[in-house]
Amino acid sequence: MRRIVSVVTAGALGMMLLAASTQAQAPKTVSAGVYTAEQAKRGEAVYKEQCAACHGDNLEGSGPMPPLAGMDFLTNWQGKTLGDLYEKTQTTMPATAPGTLMPAQVADVLAFMLKSSKYPAGSTALEGKMEALLPIQIDAAK
């Protein structure tokens, strides 16, 4: 009887470890809630000050300035990572003074962009580091 219990226990433990490792390998996506509501609020203030003049009050873009929310944004960025978007924003924005936003400001603006595209907030703020954002894929909002 002990042998059967040990085999069953070992088998159950093995299944839990397999499930945990499979979950750990699944890519993290923005639909998982990767920013906080407070961070998005800070990002909105930075956006209004630094970005809205070119990208519009509603992140809709205009002319050569791309949209930063909605289906058009998703068409440009789906399948890429938040790290890609972070790097593009950090190095090229604002257009009048590229690279002048602080890393935390860029992360906050990204949080506001995600909120504006109807991605859910979570309990952990985005980090202002490209390396931390590279594993987070941009997927379709649910």
Side-chain angles (χ1 to χ4, degrees), residues 66-119:
L68 301 179
M71 286 307 298
D72 290 333
F73 167 78
L74 191 56
T75 298
N76 293 329
W77 287 96
Q78 186 173 359
K80 296 179 183 167
T81 71
L82 273 185
D84 298 327
L85 183 56
Y86 176 89
E87 180 180 34
K88 171 86 172 168
T89 306
Q90 176 68 42
T91 59
T92 65
M93 295 292 124
T96 56
T100 58
L101 293 176
M102 300 300 295
Q105 290 177 305
V106 175
D108 291 352
V109 169
L110 294 184
F112 175 62
M113 291 167 59
L114 294 174
K115 178 185 179 218
S116 298
S117 287
K118 309 293 188 235
Y119 290 101

Side-chain angles (χ1 to χ4, degrees), residues 5 7 19 22 24 30 45 50 87 100-101 114 123-126 137-138:
V5 171
V7 170
T22 302
V30 293
Q50 299 289 332
E87 180 180 34
T100 58
L101 293 176
L114 294 174
S123 58
T124 305
L126 290 174
Q137 292 183 346
I138 299 171

Side-chain angles (χ1 to χ4, degrees), residues 8 23-24 26 34 38 41-42 44 49 68 79 93 95 99 101 132 140:
V8 171
Q23 245 182 0
V34 297
E38 180 180 295
K41 188 171 183 164
R42 289 191 312 264
E44 182 176 12
E49 182 180 309
L68 301 179
M93 295 292 124
L101 293 176

